[in-house]
Amino acid sequence: EPEVTQTPSHQVTQMGQEVILRCVPISNHLYFYWYRQILGQKVEFLVSFYNNEISEKSEIFDDQFSVERPDGSNFTLKIRSTKLEDSAMYFCASTPDLGGNQPQHFGDGTRLSIL
Amino acid sequence: DQQVKQNSPSLSVQEGRISILNCDYTNSMFDYFLWYKKYPAEGPTFLISISSIKDKNEDGRFTVFLNKSAKHLSLHIVPSQPGDSAVYFCAASGGAQKLVFGQGTRLTINP
């Protein structure tokens, strides 16, 4: 079964450094998402992306965050100047299209640890 | 943000019996509801979903019930198996594609 893949599985970064989290969505999917889960808290929506544009973003997704689809397969989340509170699991998800209600399929996540 | 709530952080069920996981929501704009299962060190795995035009959806051992008037949904697993031990998340969406998640319920199936 096709799956969403995320790399790296664990990223350790010094506070203030930039970090890029990578995702390869399922190949025929058109809508992409990033979520995060801080330890002990809910999974929270960050951003959705379609046709090379942000469709929706949450209050969490401020100017330090950006997303990009640099080629036909990768979808990246960049955090420009990391803070301690950015430590979390980051999940990428994708859906084929917006036609009707369709489940989002998630990758296994990247654990981001900010020191 | 308490739009989706799972009030039971944990549930323990005997193997072979029925597991019932509950979820409440407050936003009447939600029209699509999903259940995800999550093992440690893995991402959420889609289990089953239901549209607001239905009140029941069944897939093998898994059935989701939706009570719109009570803004409540439940997931029934029968019979429960040891491999069902995981954290179960309820999620909802309404128009926009973003999912709003509950806090999760840790289900333990005892042999």
Side-chain angles (χ1 to χ4, degrees):
Chain A
E1 184 176 321
E3 57 183 30
V4 175
T5 57
Q6 291 186 241
T7 56
S9 57
H10 191 190
Q11 174 77 46
V12 181
T13 301
Q14 290 289 329
M15 186 173 60
Q17 295 296 305
E18 175 182 287
V19 66
I20 297 176
L21 309 182
R22 301 182 192 280
C23 170
V24 178
I26 296 172
S27 64
N28 62 342
H29 286 193
L30 301 177
Y31 284 83
F32 315 120
Y33 312 85
W34 284 101
Y35 292 81
R36 79 172 185 191
Q37 185 180 27
I38 294 171
L39 187 64
Q41 297 187 22
K42 290 185 178 186
V43 177
E44 303 172 287
F45 169 79
L46 291 177
V47 65
S48 59
F49 190 87
Y50 170 72
N51 199 26
N52 284 320
E53 287 185 349
I54 290 175
S55 302
E56 186 178 1
K57 59 183 181 179
S58 70
E59 292 177 354
I60 303 167
F61 195 88
D62 61 22
D63 291 344
Q64 68 164 152
F65 291 92
S66 62
V67 289
E68 191 180 26
R69 187 153 166 81
D71 53 44
S73 59
N74 288 284
F75 178 52
T76 62
L77 174 69
K78 182 191 289 186
I79 309 175
R80 257 178 282 280
S81 177
T82 50
K83 305 171 192 167
L84 293 176
E85 54 264 37
D86 293 328
S87 295
M89 283 292 295
Y90 287 80
F91 295 106
C92 175
S94 67
T95 53
D97 55 48
L98 265 183
N101 290 318
Q102 299 185 64
Q104 293 178 24
H105 297 271
F106 286 78
D108 284 340
T110 293
R111 178 176 301 281
L112 178 61
S113 300
I114 306 301
L115 305 179
Chain B
D1 179 0
Q2 295 290 308
Q3 294 188 77
V4 178
K5 290 177 70 172
Q6 294 174 255
N7 290 317
S8 298
S10 63
L11 176 67
S12 187
V13 173
Q14 206 72 22
E15 181 180 356
R17 306 293 291 267
I18 183 171
S19 296
I20 300 176
L21 297 102
N22 294 301
C23 177
D24 296 296
Y25 63 95
T26 56
N27 189 339
S28 55
M29 298 301 292
F30 289 147
D31 61 2
Y32 184 52
F33 304 90
L34 309 91
W35 285 95
Y36 285 86
K37 173 180 178 179
K38 188 180 180 303
Y39 293 117
E42 294 185 12
T45 300
F46 170 70
L47 263 182
I48 191 169
S49 62
I50 187 166
S51 165
S52 60
I53 62 173
K54 295 187 173 183
D55 55 19
K56 177 182 173 180
N57 189 27
E58 192 171 352
D59 183 2
R61 297 187 297 115
F62 303 92
T63 303
V64 56
F65 295 92
L66 176 62
N67 182 335
K68 288 192 294 292
S69 60
K71 294 191 174 67
H72 177 84
L73 65 155
S74 60
L75 173 68
H76 293 209
I77 306 172
V78 57
S80 300
Q81 299 174 353
D84 296 331
S85 294
V87 177
Y88 288 78
F89 291 97
C90 166
S93 71
Q97 278 286 293
K98 73 175 186 182
L99 295 179
V100 180
F101 282 84
Q103 303 95 317
T105 296
R106 181 177 302 279
L107 175 65
T108 302
I109 305 302
N110 301 307

